[in-house]
Amino acid sequence: MFNKKISTPPSDPLESNPFAKNARILRSPLLKSNQQQHQLEGALSQSESFLPQANIKVANEAAILEKLNQFEKLCETLQKEVNDLKVENQRLKDSLLLSEKSNDVSMKGTEIVNEFHTDEEELALETDWILKKNRKKNAKKRKAESSPEMDNTVITSKPSKSGKETVKVIKTKDKEIAKIIKPPPVILSNITDFNKVQDVMSSQKIKYEIKLLNNKQLSIKVNSADDYRLLTKLINEAKFEWHSYENKATRPCKVIARGLHPNCNVERIQHDLNEQGFNILSVVNIIKKKKENDKVVIDQLPIYMLNFDHSEDIDKIFSITHILNTKVKIEALKKQGEFVPQCKRCQRFEHTQAFCNREPRCVKCAGSHLTTECKLDRKAPPKCSNCHEAQLPRMCSGNRAKK
């Protein structure tokens, strides 16, 4: 009745079990051979990838070796050239020495040959200027050698044996040099009649020398102090305008003392220096003027100017260390700078009022009177007596000239 389909069992049991089929495939020798082939192909591909790098490395090493060989060859060639240069240098030195010796021998031979053919007159004419130049050099050298060494000298002034002249004595270790100091010249101004000057000078027996200067001025020089005093007396009696300069023979020695109190009594300072054995003439305290609230204020400075007699030893003066039991420092006077000195009497330059006997001129109004006698208002503008401009004489262009 019923038609039943009867299933037949499979001929191969592995077909019904897939896992068993896979296991059999994995155990098959064919599969193993395939795996080994894949491994060999992978190793071959890796070796092929490393091969270019190895080739590059080998090529680099070969290039380096080639460069090293070239460098060694270059060093060898340079060393050969250095050796050749040394040999050449030594050869040149030897040839130079031989040439110098031959020149010496030839020069000696020429001197001997030409010795008998020298023209003495022509030689004297050609070498005369050289001899004169050498004489001047030798004279300067002798003068320098004969001059005293200033480090070990003592300079003093004393009257001569006749008493009419002043002698400057310079003492050194080996010798003593005496030099006569002449009085300074006297300058006469506004001279219109030279015969009048001659008449005045010839009235007394004076040895003098006259030199003509510019601006109607005459310079008169004498040789002794007595003649100088007589000359000044004569020109004062004749009412000449004149000025002179400080006499170097009687000029006091001026120094600066620092370290004393500004309020020290100058008489006590002078007395203390006299007790120390110094012949001091005067002591002056240096002051400084300044304006405060339109008023002039005077400040006393701890600086004093000491004036010693010209006969004092300058080294002894600079050895002073204490005054009034106070430690001090002695210094030389500083120069006035580039400006020339100006007279406060006549307002002219190159001399001072202490040695001026010219017509006075006012520093404010340029009038013919002393500045202390001027009646001009203090606040009025000044007038220069030299350039006649509205300025003080110290601002004049004539005072800007260097010494």
Side-chain angles (χ1 to χ4, degrees):
M1 264 173 67
F2 296 100
N3 294 323
K4 294 182 180 180
K5 189 178 181 178
I6 300 171
S7 59
T8 57
S11 59
D12 192 357
L14 294 175
E15 294 180 357
S16 61
N17 189 357
F19 296 101
K21 185 178 179 178
N22 291 333
R24 191 184 64 179
I25 292 170
L26 291 174
R27 287 195 300 269
S28 67
L30 181 62
L31 181 62
K32 290 181 180 180
S33 64
N34 292 332
Q35 289 179 353
Q36 291 177 358
Q37 184 178 0
H38 286 302
Q39 289 178 0
L40 290 173
E41 289 178 356
L44 182 61
S45 63
Q46 288 181 358
S47 63
E48 289 178 354
S49 64
F50 287 122
L51 184 61
Q53 297 180 0
N55 293 333
I56 293 170
K57 187 174 181 180
V58 171
N60 291 335
E61 290 178 355
I64 292 171
L65 289 174
E66 186 178 358
K67 289 182 179 180
L68 287 175
N69 294 329
Q70 293 177 359
F71 183 73
E72 289 178 357
K73 291 180 180 179
L74 181 62
C75 291
E76 291 178 358
T77 54
L78 290 175
Q79 186 64 36
K80 289 180 181 179
E81 290 180 358
V82 169
N83 295 332
D84 294 339
L85 289 174
K86 288 181 179 179
V87 173
E88 184 67 19
N89 189 17
Q90 186 63 33
R91 186 184 65 78
L92 291 174
K93 286 182 179 180
D94 296 338
S95 62
L96 182 62
L97 290 174
L98 291 173
S99 62
E100 288 179 354
K101 290 180 180 179
S102 61
N103 288 333
D104 293 339
V105 173
S106 63
M107 289 297 293
K108 290 179 181 179
T110 53
E111 289 177 359
I112 294 170
V113 171
N114 296 330
E115 184 177 0
F116 302 100
H117 299 282
T118 304
D119 191 351
E120 297 294 338
E121 295 180 358
E122 185 179 356
L123 181 62
L125 291 173
E126 291 179 355
T127 58
D128 185 48
W129 66 276
I130 300 174
L131 295 175
K132 289 181 179 179
K133 188 176 180 180
N134 291 335
R135 288 193 201 102
K136 289 182 180 179
K137 287 184 178 181
N138 294 332
K140 290 180 180 179
K141 186 176 180 181
R142 286 194 297 270
K143 186 176 180 180
E145 291 175 352
S146 62
S147 61
E149 297 179 359
M150 298 308 295
D151 296 337
N152 300 316
T153 57
V154 178
I155 303 173
T156 56
S157 300
K158 65 179 182 179
S160 62
K161 294 181 179 179
S162 61
K164 298 182 180 181
E165 299 172 341
T166 303
V167 179
K168 183 179 181 180
V169 181
I170 304 174
K171 295 181 180 180
T172 61
K173 289 183 178 181
D174 302 329
K175 54 187 174 180
E176 180 177 322
I177 302 172
K179 183 180 179 181
I180 297 175
I181 302 176
K182 294 183 179 181
V186 176
I187 310 298
L188 302 182
S189 304
N190 299 325
I191 301 300
T192 57
D193 189 0
F194 182 76
N195 295 322
K196 186 178 179 181
V197 179
Q198 288 284 356
D199 295 338
V200 172
M201 299 300 296
S202 60
S203 62
Q204 298 290 336
K205 294 182 179 180
I206 302 176
K207 292 182 179 180
Y208 63 93
E209 180 185 9
I210 296 179
K211 184 179 180 181
L212 182 63
L213 304 177
N214 55 359
N215 298 328
K216 298 179 181 179
Q217 293 184 353
L218 295 177
S219 173
I220 304 176
K221 294 182 180 180
V222 293
N223 296 326
S224 64
D226 293 340
D227 292 343
Y228 181 80
R229 286 189 289 268
L230 184 57
L231 172 62
T232 55
K233 181 181 177 182
L234 290 174
I235 59 179
N236 282 331
E237 292 176 354
K239 296 182 179 180
F240 286 124
E241 291 186 32
W242 64 278
H243 71 270
S244 185
Y245 309 97
E246 191 173 18
N247 193 352
K248 294 181 180 180
T250 59
R251 180 171 55 189
C253 180
K254 299 179 181 181
V255 295
I256 293 294
R258 295 179 181 269
L260 290 170
H261 195 274
N263 296 330
C264 286
N265 191 346
V266 294
E267 294 180 356
R268 291 185 178 180
I269 296 173
Q270 189 169 354
H271 179 69
D272 184 73
L273 290 172
N274 287 331
E275 287 185 350
Q276 293 185 30
F278 293 99
N279 185 9
I280 185 166
L281 303 178
S282 63
V283 179
V284 180
N285 179 227
I286 306 299
I287 60 174
K288 182 180 180 181
K289 294 181 180 180
K290 61 181 181 180
K291 283 187 177 182
E292 291 183 0
N293 299 326
D294 296 334
K295 292 182 180 180
V296 179
V297 180
I298 298 176
D299 286 345
Q300 290 180 321
L301 302 178
I303 305 171
Y304 290 82
M305 184 172 68
L306 311 179
N307 296 331
F308 294 89
D309 189 71
H310 66 277
S311 60
E312 287 290 341
D313 186 3
I314 188 66
D315 294 333
K316 188 178 178 183
I317 292 173
F318 277 97
S319 65
I320 297 174
T321 56
H322 290 79
I323 299 175
L324 296 177
N325 297 327
T326 305
K327 190 174 181 180
V328 297
K329 184 180 179 181
I330 305 298
E331 298 177 355
L333 281 176
K334 293 183 179 180
K335 294 182 179 180
Q336 296 181 356
E338 297 182 350
F339 295 102
V340 297
Q342 183 179 10
C343 178
K344 295 181 181 179
R345 176 183 171 86
C346 67
Q347 310 306 325
R348 291 180 176 88
F349 303 105
E350 297 183 355
H351 67 278
T352 57
Q353 61 178 347
F355 307 96
C356 180
N357 198 26
R358 302 180 69 169
E359 182 183 359
R361 287 195 290 181
C362 180
V363 73
K364 298 178 183 177
C365 64
S368 298
H369 56 266
L370 295 172
T371 304
T372 55
E373 301 173 357
C374 184
K375 298 179 180 179
L376 186 67
D377 187 11
R378 185 179 182 86
K379 295 183 179 180
K383 183 180 179 181
C384 180
S385 58
N386 295 312
C387 62
H388 304 288
E389 294 182 2
Q391 61 181 0
L392 291 172
R394 69 170 178 267
M395 303 301 296
C396 182
S397 59
N399 193 26
R400 299 180 187 277
K402 293 184 179 181
K403 292 183 180 179

